[in-house]
């Protein structure tokens, strides 16, 4: 690119960058490899091909949308490594089949599915600590916690007073709370009151304790909320929103040109709860954060309402905690909110210090740690790279802060850059999660895959480069990208972490604990279960507990019981339990579902259910 001469204005420099960037973008689209580059692409992107047997540099945790799960990808290869069932049922893991996960899902409402959108990994001191991931259920108002030692869902909170939990994010720097941002307005409590009076509906902001997964308090607000992101210093938390009109039809919801970003003052809310300024609804303290609430009248309101155009969708805080950036969705701009100024201004609108014109349908923004923001343009099918400080310096509606745009295929929702949600993003890779793939993959019928595209953003001089397409089953929304060495997955289970008694070889028991109840404790190993046969009576309740006594990593067994809808998995050193009714007399071949050895097919045992008489 042409280097800017020293006399150039910043704005001219940005323009020069935009031209070079546009060319870079073109080069990227061709995907050409420079023969002399030693595996480098034309833009200096490191080779994203991870050779067989080699490991990726990053974990990417993608939400599965209405599939209800989390997908784990390696980056930069984009290889899908694992799925973690969360709100769905998943037989390979026995999730929703063994007693523990079945009871957890039952207690969380008993739904068979959920809509995961925002996977966020816990942080300590504004950096990923590898402990947990959290994800919302947009459909049923829940928040789940995933243990990143075992890569499994270990808690689900059914959030009272919240129908549809959309935004999900942690209060930083140390994950004090996980926030569930309520979307739909409904009567609170939703017990039949006010059904015909939408003006009485409300939505709440819920603070969940990450250790206990209990809701500590909620804040009732005006209007609909949408997405959320926390400041990095534990004070402000931002939500976007639409429907400040408080309508119930589309035309009512889009009547006004403005909506509200809400800035929640976490310490002020905690003080209100401490002082007893709340009403307990469905066992949760609910603080009134509506605009006319007395708690919002003084110098230290608990919620500041910041008018922004029009139905802002994504919001994310910059790595340096200076700004919260909300994307306009139905407006071509983003609003740059100065977080420090929020404390000082009396009119919250004065805290908006930048409004760059980015393009059509700006949805979500990520960061590279070098002062750039990257925003998806849903309607334009592009990712736009722009300079944050240039946007603060420029006039409102100026396009000058735009550095470069790159086409994506097609209609991106979220995008996420490596470690973008921490205070120290890596600034190398970015994934654009595109809603449509149209003709980019072999046709598979009227339902198409989505398209997750990997873009290299590490070269400011030559611009962004599209590196890879990955078809994706519907439908990833958001993701978190974490350096691989920040996560330490277990190789085998530690029996101490499991509530059930470990049953070694020789310790297996079958015990009739009541007239109609049998308890089985047995082990599994290559190529047998602890008992070659188990006999019970018709009508018995059977508690079947199985320990996988293998020490070798990767050797899984499962216990499948035909015609009883049972498939429980046992990873090495794991003990799993299932309780079922043996209602129908007969012989049922219980077998192992994982191909664990050459004698895997012989790894089975008979469940004999004797007829009553
Ligand atoms: Cu934009 Cu649920 Cu984050 Cu989808 S939300 S895209
Ligand atoms: Cu164990 Cu197959």
């Amino acid at each position: 690119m042409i280097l800017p001469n020293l006399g150039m204005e910043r704005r001219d420099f940005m323009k020069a960058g935009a031209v070079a960037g546009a060319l870079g973008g073109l080069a990227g689209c061709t995907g050409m490899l420079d023969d002399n580059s030693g595996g480098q692409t034309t833009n200096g992107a490191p080779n994203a091909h991870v050779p067989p047997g080699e490991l990726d540099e990053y974990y990417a945790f993608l939400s599965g949308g209405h599939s209800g799960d989390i997908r784990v990808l390696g980056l930069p290869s984009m290889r899908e490594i694992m799925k973690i069932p969360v709100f769905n049922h998943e037989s390979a893991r026995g999730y929703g089949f063994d007693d523990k996960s079945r009871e957890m899902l039952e207690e969380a409402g008993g739904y068979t599915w959920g809509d995961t959108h925002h996977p966020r990994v816990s942080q300590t001191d504004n950096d990923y600590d590898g402990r947990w991931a959290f994800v919302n259920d947009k459909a049923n108002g829940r928040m789940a916690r995933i243990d990143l030692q075992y890569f499994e869902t270990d808690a689900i909170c059914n959030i009272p007073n919240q129908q549809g939990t959309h935004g999900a994010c942690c209060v930083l720097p140390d994950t004090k709370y996980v926030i569930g941002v309520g979307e739909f307005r409904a009567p609170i409590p939703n017990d039949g009151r006010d059904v015909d009076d939408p003006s009485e509906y409300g939505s709440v902001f819920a603070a969940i304790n990450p250790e206990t997964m209990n809701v500590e308090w909620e804040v009732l607000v005006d209007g609909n909320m949408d997405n959320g992101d926390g400041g990095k210093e534990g004070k402000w938390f931002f939500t976007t929103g639409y429907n400040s009109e408080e309508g119930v039809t589309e035309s009512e919801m889009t009547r006004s040109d403005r909506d509200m970003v809400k800035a929640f003052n976490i310490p002020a809310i905690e003080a209100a709860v401490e002082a007893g300024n709340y009403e307990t609804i469905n066992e949760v303290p609910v603080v009134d954060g509506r605009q006319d609430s007395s708690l919002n009248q003084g110098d230290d309101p608990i919620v500041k309402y910041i008018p922004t155009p029009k139905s802002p969708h994504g919001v994310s805080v910059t790595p340096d905690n200076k700004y919260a950036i909300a994307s306009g969705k139905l407006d071509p701009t983003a609003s740059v909110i100065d977080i420090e100024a929020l404390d000082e201004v009396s009119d919250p609108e004065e805290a908006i210090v930048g409004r760059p014109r980015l393009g059509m349908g700006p949805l979500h923004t990520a960061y590279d740690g070098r002062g750039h923001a990257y925003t998806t343009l849903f309607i334009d099918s592009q990712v736009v790279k722009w300079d944050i400080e240039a946007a603060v310096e420029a006039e409102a509606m100026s396009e000058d802060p735009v550095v470069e745009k790159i086409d994506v295929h097609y209609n991106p929702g979220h995008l996420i850059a490596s470690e973008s949600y921490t205070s120290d993003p890596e600034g190398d890779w970015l994934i654009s999660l595109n809603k449509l793939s149209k003709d980019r993959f072999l046709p598979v019928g009227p339902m198409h895959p989505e398209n997750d595209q990997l873009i290299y953003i590490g070269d400011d001089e030559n611009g962004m480069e599209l590196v890879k397409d990955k078809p994706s089953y519907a439908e990833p929304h958001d993701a978190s990208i974490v350096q691989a060495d920040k996560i330490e997955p277990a190789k085998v289970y530690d029996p101490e972490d499991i509530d059930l008694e470990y049953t070694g070889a020789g310790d297996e028991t079958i015990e009739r604990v009541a007239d109609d109840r049998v308890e089985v404790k047995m082990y599994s190993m290559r190529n047998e279960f602890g008992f070659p046969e188990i006999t019970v009576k018709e009508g018995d309740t059977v508690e079947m507990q199985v320990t996988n006594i293998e020490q070798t990593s990767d050797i899984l067994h499962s216990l499948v019981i035909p015609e009883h809808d049972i498939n429980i998995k046992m990873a090495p050193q794991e003990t799993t339990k299932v309780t079922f009714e043996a209602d129908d007399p007969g012989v049922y071949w219980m077998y192992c579902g994982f191909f664990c050895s050459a004698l895997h097919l012989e790894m089975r045992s008979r469940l004999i259910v004797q007829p009553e008489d």
Side-chain angles (χ1 to χ4, degrees):
M1 80 182 261
I2 306 152
L3 284 173
N5 64 50
L6 292 171
M8 243 175 157
E9 292 289 329
R10 178 183 195 97
R11 200 166 290 176
D12 295 326
F13 171 70
M14 300 318 306
K15 279 184 185 149
V19 172
L23 292 172
L26 277 177
C29 285
T30 65
M32 284 190 311
L33 281 170
D34 177 346
D35 283 338
N36 300 319
S37 65
Q40 301 269 308
T41 51
T42 42
N43 287 27
N47 197 337
H49 174 68
V50 178
E54 288 191 18
L55 304 184
D56 278 291
E57 206 182 327
Y58 296 100
Y59 287 99
F61 298 93
L62 274 66
S63 59
H66 32 76
S67 295
D69 58 1
I70 295 282
R71 291 88 184 264
V72 184
L73 270 60
L75 237 62
S77 75
M78 299 287 274
R79 296 179 295 196
E80 186 170 302
I81 306 168
M82 186 45 69
K83 289 186 188 195
I84 306 170
V86 182
F87 299 116
N88 54 333
H89 291 57
E90 215 280 311
S91 51
R93 282 199 177 217
Y95 185 81
F97 296 87
D98 69 82
D99 284 2
K100 189 179 154 203
S101 59
R102 192 162 63 183
E103 278 162 22
M104 180 173 71
L105 288 163
E106 200 52 50
E107 280 167 20
Y111 311 106
T112 59
W113 75 287
D115 189 1
T116 55
H117 279 219
H118 302 108
R120 295 296 181 97
V121 174
S122 58
Q123 299 192 32
T124 301
D125 199 16
N126 284 314
D127 192 11
Y128 291 129
D129 58 22
R131 203 168 167 201
W132 294 309
F134 302 93
V135 72
N136 67 303
D137 176 5
K138 187 182 187 294
N140 302 307
R142 296 180 291 179
M143 186 74 68
R145 185 179 71 192
I146 292 134
D147 172 321
L148 290 181
Q149 183 184 1
Y150 293 118
F151 277 57
E152 65 186 23
T153 305
D154 75 346
I156 301 177
C157 166
N158 195 343
I159 304 174
N161 308 320
Q162 201 166 89
Q163 214 177 94
T165 301
H166 193 201
C169 194
C170 304
V171 170
L172 300 174
D174 299 319
T175 316
K176 183 174 190 183
Y177 303 110
V178 183
I179 299 294
V181 180
E183 184 171 10
F184 304 120
R185 298 178 70 251
I188 296 177
N190 195 15
D191 57 2
R193 72 186 65 192
D194 300 327
V195 291
D196 292 320
D197 186 1
S199 69
E200 290 298 313
Y201 299 177
S203 70
V204 299
F205 174 92
I208 300 161
N209 179 324
E211 301 274 349
T212 63
M213 288 298 281
N214 288 324
V215 178
E216 303 264 310
W217 43 258
E218 293 178 340
V219 181
L220 176 66
V221 298
D222 290 319
N224 262 74
M225 287 182 285
D226 196 3
N227 278 289
D229 197 23
K232 306 217 185 287
E233 301 299 332
K235 179 167 183 182
W236 294 106
F237 193 103
F238 301 87
T239 66
T240 52
Y242 58 101
N243 194 21
S244 48
E245 302 87 345
E246 305 197 333
V248 290
T249 63
E250 189 205 286
S251 64
E252 287 169 10
M253 290 187 211
T254 51
R255 201 173 286 151
S256 122
D257 279 340
R258 306 221 131 183
D259 276 288
M260 298 289 182
V261 166
K262 299 175 182 74
F264 292 81
N265 183 332
I266 302 287
I269 296 163
E270 289 173 329
V273 174
E274 189 70 22
N277 282 327
Y278 60 79
E279 191 184 335
T280 302
I281 306 176
N282 285 319
E283 295 175 22
V284 176
V286 180
V287 180
D288 187 352
R290 292 173 295 188
Q291 286 165 98
D292 60 6
S293 160
S294 61
L295 293 167
N296 279 336
Q297 304 315 318
D299 288 340
D300 204 17
I302 61 168
V303 184
K304 291 198 173 187
Y305 287 74
I306 310 170
T308 42
K310 164 170 194 177
S311 302
H313 182 63
V315 59
S316 52
V317 172
T318 55
D320 58 11
N321 199 47
K322 273 176 88 173
Y323 307 111
I325 295 176
S327 310
K329 191 172 81 178
L330 305 184
D331 181 88
T333 66
S335 298
V336 181
I337 299 161
D338 185 320
I339 295 178
E340 230 177 66
L342 251 195
D343 284 317
E344 292 147 19
V345 296
S346 51
D347 175 3
E349 199 174 352
E350 287 167 20
I352 299 177
V353 295
R355 179 159 289 149
R357 184 184 179 96
L358 301 176
M360 296 305 286
L363 287 190
H364 291 282
T365 298
Y367 306 105
D368 63 10
R370 302 187 301 273
H372 304 116
Y374 299 78
T375 302
T376 44
L377 301 174
F378 180 80
I379 297 169
D380 286 342
S381 281
Q382 287 181 317
V383 168
V384 52
K385 173 182 180 179
W386 52 285
D387 185 298
I388 301 165
E389 288 301 335
V392 173
E393 284 168 29
E395 300 281 308
M397 302 299 290
S398 168
E399 289 181 45
D400 292 346
V402 170
V403 177
E404 185 195 354
K405 292 181 177 179
I406 187 169
D407 291 339
V408 294
H409 313 83
Y410 302 89
N411 303 85
H414 272 269
L415 81 183
I416 177 72
S418 44
E419 307 227 325
S420 177
Y421 291 127
T422 71
S423 61
D424 191 17
E426 294 301 308
D428 48 3
W429 300 108
L430 179 140
I431 306 176
S432 176
L433 300 169
N434 309 316
K435 301 296 179 190
L436 308 187
S437 64
K438 294 186 180 170
D439 49 3
R440 292 191 63 102
F441 304 108
L442 283 174
V444 287
M447 181 168 169
H448 295 235
E450 313 213 344
N451 189 10
D452 303 342
Q453 289 187 304
L454 183 70
I455 296 169
Y456 184 64
I457 57 168
D459 187 344
D460 289 333
E461 199 172 318
N462 293 302
M464 293 183 274
E465 181 180 5
L466 174 61
V467 173
K468 219 169 252 199
D469 276 22
K470 184 208 170 272
S472 190
Y473 190 71
E475 108 166 81
H477 284 257
D478 193 10
S480 288
I481 301 174
V482 182
Q483 271 181 346
D485 62 8
K486 292 180 183 170
I487 293 179
E488 288 177 37
K491 288 224 184 303
V492 300
Y493 276 87
D494 179 350
E496 297 282 312
D497 289 342
I498 295 173
D499 290 339
L500 301 167
E501 186 190 331
Y502 185 97
T503 304
D507 299 335
E508 62 275 17
T509 56
I510 302 177
E511 212 182 319
R512 180 163 291 280
V513 291
D515 277 354
D516 56 356
R517 200 170 184 94
V518 175
E519 211 177 74
V520 180
K521 291 180 180 166
M522 65 175 177
Y523 65 89
S524 59
M525 59 182 270
R526 283 161 291 176
N527 309 293
E528 63 184 37
F529 292 108
F531 293 106
E533 63 184 55
I534 293 164
T535 302
V536 301
K537 286 190 323 230
E538 176 184 354
D540 277 345
T541 298
V542 182
E543 292 179 47
M544 184 89 75
Q545 183 178 309
V546 192
T547 301
N548 178 344
I549 62 172
E550 307 271 0
Q551 302 270 4
T552 314
S553 102
D554 210 3
I555 302 297
L556 275 76
H557 304 295
S558 72
L559 181 76
V560 175
I561 310 181
E563 295 167 36
H564 288 75
D565 200 25
I566 288 168
N567 184 7
I568 58 173
K569 81 110 181 35
M570 294 81 67
Q573 298 290 301
E574 182 181 22
T575 301
T576 313
K577 182 179 172 187
V578 63
T579 303
F580 61 95
E581 312 297 324
D583 281 338
D584 294 313
V587 173
Y588 303 94
W589 280 104
M590 304 188 288
Y591 69 91
C592 168
F594 284 94
F595 205 106
C596 52
S597 81
L599 286 169
H600 151 75
L601 289 173
E602 288 81 354
M603 182 172 174
R604 49 186 171 147
S605 166
R606 272 184 309 159
L607 174 69
I608 297 169
V609 182
Q610 286 187 324
E612 216 159 0
D613 273 317

